Amino acid sequence: MTAQHSPTDISPGQDDEARALRADIYALLAALLRTPPDNALREWLASLETSTDDIRFAQAWQRLANAAADSTSEGLKRAHFAHLIGVIQGDVLPYASYYREGGLMEAPLVALRQELRTLNLERSPDVSEPEDHLAALCEVMAMLVAESHPHEAGFFHRHLAPWATDCARDLAAVASPFYAAIGALASLFFERERSQLQATPHPSSQTLGMATPDVRRQPQGAGDQA
């Protein structure tokens, strides 16, 4: 993702630059949902400028940039803990099992783990959250989009489309302007992905441009542990 583009310019059938941008947006959302941004990322977000004919996306990116500029790293650490972690639980529980079944470690996680094995993916050992965390699913999508993987559209519709927009809208309602801005942007992006991946399931190939995913490829021949 660069400061000169917006997700509204993206469709899965477009060129390599558009595909790379989609992958970068997934990776950015994953990074922001997983941990609070460091100073470098916060300052980069604050400097974002977008050019798009879609006023909703232009406003969403500008809202995020303004919130980043008005925030501090310490404040964002506290907000991330309050909204997405919590002492017992955060304001938002960003798990597929919770949104689809009302609890944690439910059938959606089982189905996801089975599919991750078929994709030769496993959870990184330093990650404690279950694989149905929204950040982890965005990481997987970043990789699938970057690789022009044939399962890209199917994975999205099976594991993100049923609940990710609802989760993002809940995040958009939290008190922190920064995390509310992330939720608003994510909601628009997921809606756009749902529409475009339904229409064009096989994008062209491009490599991922940013963020190291916490869901990683298994070596060939690795065991089935998820």
Side-chain angles (χ1 to χ4, degrees), residues 148-208:
S148 190
H149 199 287
H151 289 177
E152 171 193 338
F155 187 92
F156 178 88
H157 285 294
R158 283 187 291 275
H159 301 295
L160 279 157
W163 71 282
T165 300
D166 290 339
C167 180
R169 287 172 178 162
D170 287 343
L171 187 60
V174 301
S176 161
F178 182 80
Y179 283 95
I182 293 171
L185 176 63
S187 175
L188 288 175
F189 181 62
F190 293 145
E191 288 176 358
R192 177 60 60 88
E193 286 288 280
R194 178 200 292 265
S195 174
Q196 294 181 339
L197 288 172
Q198 183 71 38
T200 312
H202 300 299
S204 58
S205 177
Q206 182 54 277
T207 58
L208 181 62

Side-chain angles (χ1 to χ4, degrees), residues 113-129:
R113 285 175 169 170
Q114 292 173 343
E115 183 154 357
L116 291 176
R117 283 195 289 270
T118 69
L119 294 171
N120 202 32
L121 292 169
E122 66 175 0
R123 185 174 62 186
S124 293
D126 58 341
V127 174
S128 59
E129 295 92 352

Side-chain angles (χ1 to χ4, degrees), residues 7-217:
T8 193
D9 301 321
I10 300 165
S11 70
Q14 286 182 338
D15 59 18
D16 287 354
E17 183 179 1
R19 172 168 288 280
L21 180 54
R22 287 179 58 233
D24 285 351
I25 293 169
Y26 272 116
L28 175 63
L29 291 175
L32 294 173
L33 292 167
R34 178 78 75 189
T35 60
D38 59 19
N39 271 326
L41 179 54
R42 182 181 61 81
E43 291 173 0
W44 180 80
L45 289 169
S47 71
L48 280 176
E49 296 179 0
T50 61
S51 176
T52 174
D53 294 331
D54 190 321
I55 191 171
R56 298 180 308 155
F57 278 102
Q59 290 175 338
W61 281 111
Q62 190 60 54
R63 179 181 174 187
L64 179 59
N66 292 344
D70 293 340
S71 64
T72 64
S73 293
E74 286 303 314
L76 292 182
K77 288 179 183 178
R78 292 191 295 271
H80 184 273
F81 182 84
H83 298 320
L84 293 167
I85 300 176
V87 175
I88 297 176
Q89 69 180 48
D91 298 325
V92 178
L93 285 172
Y95 298 94
S97 291
Y98 177 77
Y99 275 86
R100 300 180 71 178
E101 299 286 346
L104 299 179
M105 312 288 283
E106 300 286 350
L109 177 59
V110 175
L112 173 63
R113 285 175 169 170
Q114 292 173 343
E115 183 154 357
L116 291 176
R117 283 195 289 270
T118 69
L119 294 171
N120 202 32
L121 292 169
E122 66 175 0
R123 185 174 62 186
S124 293
D126 58 341
V127 174
S128 59
E129 295 92 352
E131 295 90 330
D132 64 341
H133 191 288
L134 184 56
L137 292 171
C138 285
E139 288 163 355
V140 173
M141 281 301 299
M143 288 187 283
L144 297 180
V145 170
E147 296 173 3
S148 190
H149 199 287
H151 289 177
E152 171 193 338
F155 187 92
F156 178 88
H157 285 294
R158 283 187 291 275
H159 301 295
L160 279 157
W163 71 282
T165 300
D166 290 339
C167 180
R169 287 172 178 162
D170 287 343
L171 187 60
V174 301
S176 161
F178 182 80
Y179 283 95
I182 293 171
L185 176 63
S187 175
L188 288 175
F189 181 62
F190 293 145
E191 288 176 358
R192 177 60 60 88
E193 286 288 280
R194 178 200 292 265
S195 174
Q196 294 181 339
L197 288 172
Q198 183 71 38
T200 312
H202 300 299
S204 58
S205 177
Q206 182 54 277
T207 58
L208 181 62
M210 63 175 289
T212 301
D214 282 324
V215 178
R216 62 180 186 175
R217 288 287 184 191

